[in-house]
Amino acid sequence: MIAETPEIPYYAVIFTSLRTDGDNGYGAMADEMDELAKQQPGYLGIESARNELGITISYWRSLDDIKNWKANTRHLVAQKTGRDKWYEHYKVRICKVERDYEF
Amino acid sequence: MIAETPEIPYYAVIFTSLRTDGDNGYGAMADEMDELAKQQPGYLGIESARNELGITISYWRSLDDIKNWKANTRHLVAQKTGRDKWYEHYKVRICKVERDYEF
């Protein structure tokens, strides 16, 4: 769903990816990471969609919160397995949300 | 596909949406907007995926380029029709990409 984020400024991590074939444990780890991310300090929400291209955007209070989540031990395992097994190619973009509006 | 964006900094417009039922001319206008966006000054690329939630991220050289695209006459028609017909709810976030890396 559309994340209910607070007043600007806050931060977004855009993760765009192309998967390899097969699940290879990806689904279970993705669910675990969704749950774990929610428990981190500064977590604000997540939005996700996938066709051929997958896009996941997580929202955070600060750059330090993003850094801490990236260094989370279990998340480091997921990142390494991602490079070894699940992703053909991915790109991560760390962004400051400077303006937002909705309808 | 994953957009091949230049060196940081650049800007991202995250458009997250929930559609109404039926096409109602949406597909044709979406294709037209994709084509038209590519012709705008400062356009750097686009990434898109939709399940229940739709996410489209367009990348731009500057905030002025984003402002000009938002004010484009044909795009204004699309925005209005979007609110009238195609979208239940959407959120737009304008972001400065401060760091990126890929695998």
Side-chain angles (χ1 to χ4, degrees), chain A residues 3 5 10 16 47 50-51 59 70 83 89-90 92-96 98-103, chain B residues 3 5 10 16 47 50-51 59 70 83 89-90 92-96 98-103:
Chain A
T5 39
Y10 54 92
T16 315
E47 292 168 342
R50 172 174 298 280
N51 304 122
Y59 298 99
K70 186 171 196 299
R83 289 187 297 270
H89 179 194
Y90 65 71
V92 177
R93 293 178 175 98
I94 296 169
C95 314
K96 184 176 190 178
E98 300 191 340
R99 202 151 58 84
D100 63 12
Y101 57 91
E102 64 192 295
F103 160 79
Chain B
T5 39
Y10 54 92
T16 314
E47 292 168 342
R50 173 174 298 280
N51 304 123
Y59 298 99
K70 187 171 195 300
R83 288 187 297 271
H89 179 194
Y90 65 71
V92 177
R93 294 178 174 98
I94 296 169
C95 314
K96 183 176 191 180
E98 299 191 340
R99 202 152 59 85
D100 62 13
Y101 57 92
E102 65 192 293
F103 160 78

Side-chain angles (χ1 to χ4, degrees), chain B residues 19 23 25-40 43 46 48 56 69 74-75 78 86-87:
Chain B
R19 289 281 319 279
D23 183 72
Y26 168 79
M29 182 64 101
D31 291 347
E32 184 187 333
M33 288 302 113
D34 278 3
E35 274 312 304
L36 194 58
K38 285 191 179 91
Q39 298 163 26
Q40 303 309 305
Y43 172 90
I46 201 162
S48 225
T56 296
W69 169 233
R74 187 67 182 146
H75 190 200
W86 299 321
Y87 298 114

